[in-house]
Amino acid sequence: MVYNSPMPLEDYARKRNFSATPEPQGKVEDRKSRRLIYVIQKHKATHLHYDLRLEMGGVLKSWAVPKGPSYNPADKRLAVEVEDHPLDYASFEGVIPEGNYGAGTVIVWDQGAYELADGYDADPLVAWRKGKLHVRFHGKKLLGIWVLVRTRGPNSRDWLLFKKNDGDADPAADITRQRPESVKSGKTVEQVEKSQVAP
Ligand code: MN
């Protein structure tokens, strides 16, 4: 279980062979004085999905979102909580070789700072434990307040991600189609995939 795991990043490390994957080994970091970061990585694995990661407690709490985020508040997107990732992971873009956990191609689809929205829990770990996060993103693609709510009880890994109906909401927008590219390299996941395939 990920909850109250005595060894931070234990699940992350157990799933990976760092001599065979370019992903960072990472460690738990203490950087209370800086702004909290978030990243959304588009991950073309067995099934295409988007990995939302929010800095809290020195690691990146992580959710796999099969359909990715939507600016339409009516779109409630399933977000399945996965193992914590190290902060270093936020800039990872590249190809995870066949045979490794999560094999496939990863791009940094969006990245920036986040804060908890006014009027809600101020400590992200408290909000995460309660199963309700109101997050204001300062990204390149995601702006305004987004809601993450745990469903099916306190031990569930299933959450919903959706846009709060604020001034940044846009029911007509289709952000994953309109902006498929990496905010790090400008490349699409297909371009990164091709660039790293051996000739
Ligand atoms: Mn993933």
Side-chain angles (χ1 to χ4, degrees):
M1 291 297 295
V2 68
Y3 303 107
N4 303 315
S5 170
M7 291 287 293
L9 299 177
E10 185 184 20
D11 290 341
Y12 175 83
R14 187 173 48 234
K15 289 167 189 272
R16 290 170 176 79
N17 172 2
F18 294 108
S19 59
T21 177
E23 296 165 290
Q25 190 154 2
K27 60 184 190 328
V28 179
E29 294 186 38
D30 182 14
R31 35 177 246 118
K32 290 189 183 71
S33 61
R34 292 167 62 186
R35 294 186 82 186
L36 298 170
I37 61 162
Y38 83 95
V39 64
I40 298 178
Q41 280 152 322
K42 185 176 180 180
H43 187 180
K44 190 181 175 192
T46 311
H47 299 283
L48 179 73
H49 59 274
Y50 295 77
D51 289 300
L52 167 64
R53 311 189 195 282
L54 303 178
E55 177 184 1
M56 58 183 89
V59 297
L60 295 167
K61 285 275 174 222
S62 298
W63 292 261
V65 185
K67 291 184 175 177
S70 169
Y71 268 97
N72 183 351
D75 291 339
K76 308 286 194 274
R77 296 283 161 88
L78 175 67
V80 180
E81 192 171 340
V82 297
E83 78 276 17
D84 296 347
H85 280 50
L87 291 182
D88 284 356
Y89 208 93
S91 59
F92 175 72
E93 180 164 302
V95 176
I96 302 169
E98 280 301 317
N100 288 275
Y101 180 74
T105 307
V106 175
I107 61 168
V108 179
W109 183 79
D110 194 29
Q111 195 177 51
Y114 85 92
E115 68 213 12
L116 294 195
D118 289 343
Y120 299 94
D121 280 301
D123 180 343
L125 276 172
V126 170
W128 170 80
R129 255 178 239 119
K130 289 183 183 173
K132 194 163 193 179
L133 290 148
H134 285 70
V135 173
R136 181 183 293 281
F137 288 127
H138 303 274
K140 296 198 169 78
K141 295 176 185 171
L142 298 195
L143 297 167
I145 298 174
W146 299 67
V147 183
L148 262 169
V149 185
R150 191 187 290 124
T151 62
R152 303 173 202 273
N155 294 318
S156 168
R157 288 173 173 250
D158 289 352
W159 297 61
L160 292 174
L161 170 70
F162 55 93
K163 183 74 192 74
K164 187 181 162 105
N165 201 356
D166 61 13
D168 294 294
D170 182 357
D174 192 348
I175 189 71
T176 55
R177 274 172 81 101
Q178 289 161 340
R179 299 291 305 277
E181 82 288 355
S182 164
V183 297
K184 181 177 178 180
S185 64
K187 292 177 180 172
T188 64
V189 74
E190 290 80 14
Q191 288 169 332
V192 170
E193 184 177 36
K194 282 194 194 114
S195 71
Q196 301 215 3
V197 170

